[in-house]
Amino acid sequence: MSAHAPDPKRWLVLLAVMLAFLPVVLDMTILHVAVPSLTQALNASGTEVLWIIDIYPLLMAGLLVPMGTLSDQVGNRRILLTGLTLFAAASTWAAFAQSATALIAARVCLALGGSMIMPCVLGLIRKTFEEEGERAMALGLWGTVGAAGAAVGPLIGGALLEQFWWGSVFLINVPIMLIVAPTCWLLLPRIEQTTPGKWPIGQALLLIVGMISVVYAIKAGFGAKHPLSVVALILTFGIAILTLFARKQLRATAPMLDLSLLSHPTIVAGLMMAIVASGALAGVELTLAQELQYVLAKTPLQAGLFMIPIMAAAALGGPVAGYLSNRFGLRRVASLSLLISGAALLFLAQSDFHQPGALVPLALAVLGLTLSIGLTASSIAIMGAIEASKGGAAGALEATGYELGTGLGIAFFGMFMSGVFSRAIDLPDTLPSALAAQAAQTIGDVYIVANQLGPEQAEALIEAGKTAFSQTHSVLLTTSAIVIATLAVVVFIIIARDHRSPVTSQH
């Protein structure tokens, strides 16, 4: 496709890649509603639950960059179709997992498939849409599909859990793939412009090992399950590995990740928005899903319905961000959307979810809309700053920001939640010490321990857990509000004052 002759089938290509992106997004949000059910069914500890959720975005964050590079070298179509097939197979495995360990292993394979899909989607959009206005609109529509998938995820998950076992939230991906894979096979171009070079799998492994080590150290540190010296050693090891990875990228003639892209302030701002906003959104959704089911005793379907405002409003953020960024400039749109989302979080932190009224759903909608605008603005910034031949690598860089943000958000929210919860809970005096130690970890552990107690003792423990979790949820949302408001100021400072439109190509 020439830059002077737009592909006449470009909107059909966009349709195909958006359909491919849908199951990956659906898988992320469906699981949040299923957490209480699978926790009880698999008797999973708080740490195991966090790894079940977290291993997916963390591995994707490490694999997206090499998969983006590989897709540029081999072709987006081939890698995308392979990823879709693997994703379907891993979904079947996850659905029938009999233990927390097996489910974590299945999630590893899901991450591998998802990491093939994500960069190909953004890379194909970048290669297909050369004109900046059309590209901004295409990215906005892509964001809409992603947000819409996220919106219906909790609702579909809740409806499935009303009728079936927790594994159905994974099995739903299989019929979706039966539609998506043939559609992509038919619509995606068979001839692509590729870039030569070697696939640096060794560097990819360095990135994965470094990130997993750092996150494991964070989890171990908060969990207080290892001596401080061991935690410090793991953390140091992870940082050293990541430093080695960065040095190899800077010295390589054909790096897996072109770190020179980070010299552009707008790209740095875009990555910061992607990491923080996606982390906050994932953490808030996970916290909310547990609050609704554990504390408010809602069914999974009721929890999914309660969460519709945040997801449905997020579905509008894509096209709105594309339009507003073209009209008013990325700087104003990005910083103001983040500032408003921080205010919405602060309001939710002080709200009573037992009596939500109209204001809580409204605040959830405002939060979903503004965070979605911020995430799409980050896409416009990053994808607009590179040439088409590097579309896969740049797409991987951006998607890495999303997944890293999601992984770190879940890790920090989960560990911070556990730390605050253990200090807030007032355990019954009659509870045996071993059971008390387990119950003090998470609200899920409270229910697991309660199943081993008599009716009166179990009721007292559950009430203590509910009270402690409500306090924990308030602290978490307040902290998130402060972080996002700070990011709004930082983004406003970093992005150039004269930036009035999506970032133009540097080439």
Side-chain angles (χ1 to χ4, degrees):
M1 181 186 72
S2 169
H4 305 289
D7 187 346
K9 296 181 180 179
R10 60 191 180 279
W11 296 108
L12 287 177
V13 172
L14 178 64
L15 173 63
V17 297
M18 288 193 304
L19 286 173
F21 182 59
L22 182 61
V24 181
V25 178
L26 202 63
D27 191 66
M28 293 178 182
T29 56
I30 276 184
L31 189 58
H32 290 166
V33 179
V35 164
S37 298
L38 69 86
T39 299
Q40 305 303 312
L42 298 178
N43 202 30
S45 68
T47 301
E48 287 175 330
V49 169
L50 284 179
W51 278 118
I52 288 169
I53 304 169
D54 225 4
I55 197 68
Y56 180 82
L58 284 176
L59 279 182
M60 280 190 68
L63 289 168
L64 282 170
V65 172
M67 288 303 175
T69 304
L70 185 64
S71 67
D72 284 341
Q73 296 172 0
V74 176
N76 288 285
R77 184 177 186 272
R78 184 182 300 178
I79 298 298
L80 180 62
L81 291 174
T82 303
L84 290 171
T85 303
L86 180 58
F87 199 87
S91 296
T92 305
W93 182 11
F96 296 102
Q98 297 296 309
S99 67
T101 302
L103 183 54
I104 292 170
R107 293 278 286 172
V108 168
C109 292
L110 276 169
L112 180 58
S115 69
M116 293 180 176
I117 297 170
M118 289 279 281
C120 291
V121 168
L122 286 167
L124 282 164
I125 291 175
R126 179 61 186 87
K127 290 180 178 180
T128 305
F129 294 91
E130 288 289 342
E131 199 275 319
E132 289 180 7
E134 281 194 351
R135 186 193 308 135
M137 183 56 63
L139 287 168
L141 291 170
W142 162 76
T144 299
V145 169
V152 300
L155 189 58
I156 292 175
L160 288 171
L161 290 170
E162 289 283 308
Q163 302 295 328
F164 308 105
W165 89 116
W166 62 266
S168 61
V169 302
F170 293 106
L171 204 59
I172 189 65
N173 290 329
V174 177
I176 294 175
M177 288 300 179
L178 292 177
I179 299 172
V180 172
T183 302
C184 289
W185 187 84
L186 288 172
L187 291 180
L188 295 185
R190 287 169 169 75
I191 300 176
E192 298 181 60
Q193 179 184 357
T194 58
T195 56
K198 295 181 179 180
W199 189 43
I201 185 62
Q203 296 177 36
L205 292 176
L206 284 177
L207 181 59
I208 294 170
V209 171
M211 286 195 306
I212 295 293
S213 298
V214 169
V215 173
Y216 182 83
I218 293 170
K219 291 177 181 289
F222 274 96
K225 292 184 177 181
H226 300 287
L228 186 59
S229 58
V230 175
V231 173
L233 183 62
I234 297 173
L235 181 61
T236 302
F237 172 77
I239 293 174
I241 293 294
L242 291 177
T243 302
L244 178 61
F245 170 79
R247 291 182 64 182
K248 282 184 174 293
Q249 301 312 295
L250 293 171
R251 293 178 178 179
T253 54
M256 184 181 74
L257 175 61
D258 186 1
L259 294 182
S260 65
L261 292 174
L262 299 180
S263 64
H264 198 301
T266 305
I267 292 182
V268 174
L271 281 176
M272 291 175 64
M273 286 188 288
I275 291 171
V276 175
S278 60
L281 191 57
V284 168
E285 288 170 5
L286 183 60
T287 304
L288 188 60
Q290 294 186 69
E291 172 89 10
L292 293 171
Q293 294 180 71
Y294 281 133
V295 180
L296 274 66
K298 291 184 178 294
T299 66
L301 179 58
Q302 290 171 334
L305 290 170
F306 193 98
M307 294 171 69
I308 280 181
I310 188 171
M311 298 299 188
L316 302 175
V320 169
Y323 170 78
L324 292 179
S325 296
N326 280 325
R327 179 75 184 273
F328 301 107
L330 193 60
R331 184 189 192 211
R332 295 177 182 175
V333 172
S335 56
L336 188 58
S337 66
L338 291 171
L339 195 61
I340 295 173
S341 65
L345 276 172
L346 192 60
F347 175 82
L348 289 170
Q350 309 303 321
S351 300
D352 180 8
F353 281 35
H354 291 84
Q355 302 291 333
L359 291 179
V360 168
L362 179 62
L364 289 172
V366 170
L367 178 65
L369 178 65
T370 51
L371 283 179
S372 177
I373 290 174
L375 287 171
T376 306
S378 73
S379 296
I380 295 170
I382 295 169
M383 298 305 292
I386 48 88
E387 59 187 3
S389 63
K390 292 186 177 181
L397 177 66
E398 178 194 359
T400 297
Y402 291 156
E403 299 304 325
L404 185 60
T406 300
L408 292 177
I410 291 170
F412 278 108
F413 265 77
M415 293 301 102
F416 190 36
M417 184 188 301
S418 179
V420 175
F421 181 83
S422 63
R423 289 170 176 79
I425 190 167
D426 184 14
L427 294 167
D429 296 331
T430 57
L431 198 63
S433 58
L435 293 179
Q438 181 182 355
Q441 295 299 313
T442 66
I443 184 71
D445 286 307
V446 164
Y447 277 82
I448 290 175
V449 171
N451 290 333
Q452 306 173 42
L453 304 175
E456 292 185 7
Q457 205 173 17
E459 184 179 354
L461 177 60
I462 289 174
E463 285 304 313
K466 289 181 177 180
T467 301
F469 193 86
S470 293
Q471 297 174 14
T472 302
H473 134 261
S474 180
V475 173
L476 283 173
L477 296 190
T478 301
T479 305
S480 300
I482 295 171
V483 171
I484 289 183
T486 303
L487 176 64
V489 177
V490 172
V491 166
F492 188 81
I493 294 172
I494 289 180
I495 296 181
R497 291 180 180 275
D498 60 352
H499 190 83
R500 297 281 302 171
S501 62
V503 185
T504 56
S505 176
Q506 300 299 299
H507 304 276

